[in-house]
Amino acid sequence: MKVWKRVAALAMMSVLAAGMLTGCGSKDSEKVAEGTAEGTTAGNAETTKGAAAEGQTVIRVCWWGNQTRNDGTVKALEMYEAEHPEVKFEVEFSDWNGYWDKLATQAAGGNLPDIIQMDYAFLSQYQEKGQLVDLNQYIESGVIDTTNVPDSIMKSGEIDGGTYAIVAGTNAKALLVNTAVMEEAGVTLPKQPTYEEFFAAAKTIYEKTGQQIAIPSNDEQSMLFMARALGQTMFTKDGTALGMPDDTVALRYYTRLKETLDEGFHVSPEVMAESSTNQLSNFAAGKEWCQLTNSNMIVNTIAQCEDDVQYDIYMYPTEADAVQQPIFIKPSQFYSVTKDSENPEIAADVINFLTNSVEANTEALKGERGVPISSVVTEAVNGVVDECTGRINAYVAEVAKVATEIDPPFPPASAEIGKLISDLADAVRYKEITPEEAARSFYEQATELLQKGAAE
């Protein structure tokens, strides 16, 4: 079935933006990417240009993220430069949507940055195509120090015995709520509500305050959580098929999208499209009383709010008929070195610095990507971070007490399947198809994509 295209506002989301610490690209020395970083607009984006001095090595670093992440990462890299004057950085950053399109183009042209921020859902895809460097050699030589990193965390970046990614931080899915709005509406929630409890509260809050909710449309995590709660997985362990035996979970997901819209307490698709390009989140703007999010993203959201905002962090909703706890501790992002890097050992040393430097983490990074993986760094960061980051770290620690094992790394086809979920969600929101049609189409197309990927 052909899925209707997304609205223009989504299709025209900002493309990869670039900022420069210094210099030019090691493999593309005459080009400087220009655009907008997440949190800026085309009219006010700033790009700083400069030339690397003779004999200096330029390392390109690329990530997605918000302005808080951009600023902190740039500062940390400047700290590395101060310690290593022979190294200069070229940085590229964007929002999530433009990031992967740009990386795919660079990969096809053999011009990937030295260091890329990697996501769990894309790790297998890039590793199977031979686009990432096995970092075991640098771990064994001591260039990357993993002494204070738990083995369980290191394993999340391993595939077939190789280490292709170093965790940048850990997080957990979360439900950020405005407690003042809940109190105004006379609503309470358990620390991990069921969807039924969550939606009942949302309906009451909308009726009494006018504030709404939004279920993410560009994230397969909601469907993944529903599957996990019912004892299923998104994909089989070998990645050749869906881990859901039929379209029951998909139907539940798409039905909820329609019902929440029909009852009025979910923001309109137009508002969702507009908010995806806004600097200010709907939570901070007072349009939504809660936000289904990742724990590490809460820092930036609260930074946008009024200073007196009252908030709490709840666990991501579960199912009333759950057979297991769906929540898990997740690598928020990874750092990977690409095959196109002409200086992989220097790139590995940069990752070591971002992972193990107490100064870089306490003065610049501050746990924005999630709880640091080094126990020494975590302890230091907890001593200096703001109140919000401290609450997030405490939340992740609580989740760790009940979390179940994370699913295996997603197969390469997961990127297309994630987009399929999102496209179908938009079609349901715009009433172009029914939830039943969406669920059936998802199951058929996702199965076909996985079978095709297994055959390649």
Side-chain angles (χ1 to χ4, degrees):
M1 183 192 71
K2 182 178 180 180
V3 179
W4 288 68
K5 292 183 179 180
R6 296 189 188 186
V7 292
L10 286 175
M12 294 300 292
M13 289 183 71
S14 56
V15 297
L16 190 79
M20 294 288 292
L21 288 181
T22 57
C24 46
S26 56
K27 287 197 172 187
D28 200 8
S29 60
E30 298 303 318
K31 297 181 180 179
V32 178
E34 296 184 8
T36 59
E38 183 177 71
T40 67
T41 63
N44 65 13
E46 295 183 1
T47 301
T48 303
K49 302 178 182 179
E54 184 177 356
Q56 286 183 316
T57 298
V58 175
I59 299 294
R60 293 169 56 208
V61 186
C62 188
W63 68 89
W64 74 84
N66 52 57
Q67 197 61 48
T68 301
R69 179 176 303 164
N70 298 342
D71 294 342
T73 308
V74 167
K75 182 176 180 179
L77 295 177
E78 288 174 340
M79 294 171 71
Y80 184 92
E81 284 182 342
E83 294 184 12
H84 303 82
E86 74 282 3
V87 173
K88 290 296 178 183
F89 290 105
E90 176 186 314
V91 302
E92 305 170 14
F93 45 86
S94 76
D95 63 14
W96 169 268
N97 296 279
Y99 183 80
W100 298 105
D101 290 340
K102 182 67 174 182
L103 277 192
T105 300
Q106 292 174 328
N111 190 39
L112 283 166
D114 298 85
I115 300 171
I116 59 174
Q117 188 170 282
M118 176 53 61
D119 185 77
Y120 198 65
F122 289 82
L123 180 58
S124 291
Q125 175 181 334
Y126 277 77
Q127 184 271 339
E128 287 188 11
K129 292 182 178 180
Q131 292 164 334
L132 305 179
V133 173
D134 183 352
L135 300 174
N136 275 345
Q137 57 188 310
Y138 303 115
I139 294 172
E140 293 168 0
S141 68
V143 173
I144 299 177
D145 182 8
T146 62
T147 304
N148 300 308
V149 181
D151 290 341
S152 59
I153 291 179
M154 290 301 301
K155 287 184 181 300
S156 61
E158 295 179 2
I159 298 177
D160 298 332
T163 301
Y164 296 93
I166 302 296
V167 177
T170 59
N171 69 2
K173 300 296 286 188
L175 173 64
L176 174 66
V177 304
N178 186 314
T179 54
V181 175
M182 291 175 64
E183 291 173 5
E184 179 184 348
V187 165
T188 60
L189 283 173
K191 269 299 183 181
Q192 186 179 31
T194 64
Y195 271 100
E196 288 75 8
E197 291 169 328
F198 175 45
F199 290 153
K203 185 175 182 180
T204 299
I205 289 173
Y206 175 64
E207 291 171 349
K208 294 189 176 182
T209 72
Q211 291 200 26
Q212 298 172 295
I213 68 168
I215 299 176
S217 65
N218 62 341
D219 192 348
E220 76 278 4
Q221 294 296 307
S222 293
M223 191 183 292
L224 169 65
F225 263 66
M226 293 175 192
R228 286 172 59 87
L230 299 180
Q232 302 175 23
T233 58
M234 196 73 177
F235 308 103
T236 56
K237 285 187 177 181
D238 63 6
T240 61
L242 290 169
M244 300 172 281
D246 53 41
D247 65 6
T248 299
V249 171
L251 180 58
R252 184 178 295 198
Y253 173 70
Y254 290 119
T255 298
R256 283 172 174 165
L257 292 181
K258 181 179 185 300
E259 290 177 349
T260 54
L261 276 166
D262 289 347
E263 295 194 42
F265 58 83
H266 192 294
V267 297
S268 70
E270 291 80 10
V271 169
M272 287 198 73
E274 180 183 357
S275 66
S276 67
T277 59
N278 285 346
Q279 178 177 351
L280 188 67
S281 72
N282 282 341
F283 181 91
K287 297 178 182 178
E288 297 172 15
W289 64 273
C290 67
Q291 188 172 351
L292 290 162
T293 186
N294 293 311
S295 60
N296 64 293
M297 297 175 69
I298 293 174
V299 170
N300 189 65
T301 299
I302 295 303
Q304 295 179 334
C305 297
E306 298 292 336
D307 291 340
D308 60 350
V309 64
Q310 298 176 43
Y311 68 95
D312 202 352
I313 306 172
Y314 287 62
M315 289 190 190
Y316 213 79
T318 187
E319 302 296 316
D321 55 347
V323 299
Q324 71 172 15
Q325 172 60 258
I327 203 164
F328 55 89
I329 299 296
K330 176 183 180 294
S332 55
Q333 301 98 27
F334 298 95
Y335 298 118
S336 292
V337 177
T338 75
K339 68 175 181 61
D340 294 334
S341 175
E342 296 178 348
N343 300 282
E345 184 167 353
I346 295 176
D349 188 61
V350 174
I351 292 176
N352 180 68
F353 178 80
L354 297 174
T355 301
N356 291 302
S357 170
V358 170
E359 291 75 17
N361 280 275
T362 56
E363 297 176 20
L365 301 174
K366 299 181 179 179
E368 188 278 332
R369 282 183 170 85
V371 180
I373 63 173
S374 163
S375 57
V376 173
V377 171
T378 297
E379 183 178 357
V381 168
N382 284 341
V384 300
V385 294
D386 58 23
E387 183 265 350
C388 179
T389 303
R391 289 172 68 172
I392 292 168
N393 290 351
Y395 168 74
V396 173
E398 285 300 308
V399 169
K401 297 177 182 178
V402 300
T404 49
E405 185 178 354
I406 190 172
D407 285 15
F410 288 176
S414 66
E416 292 179 87
I417 292 172
K419 185 177 184 302
L420 173 65
I421 293 171
S422 183
D423 286 343
L424 290 168
D426 284 340
V428 170
R429 286 191 173 95
Y430 282 99
K431 300 183 179 180
E432 295 165 355
I433 59 175
T434 66
E436 290 78 12
E437 290 171 329
R440 184 168 58 252
S441 182
F442 162 74
Y443 199 82
E444 292 173 352
Q445 292 191 57
T447 298
E448 182 179 344
L449 287 167
L450 289 165
Q451 290 174 345
K452 179 181 177 183
E456 292 178 348

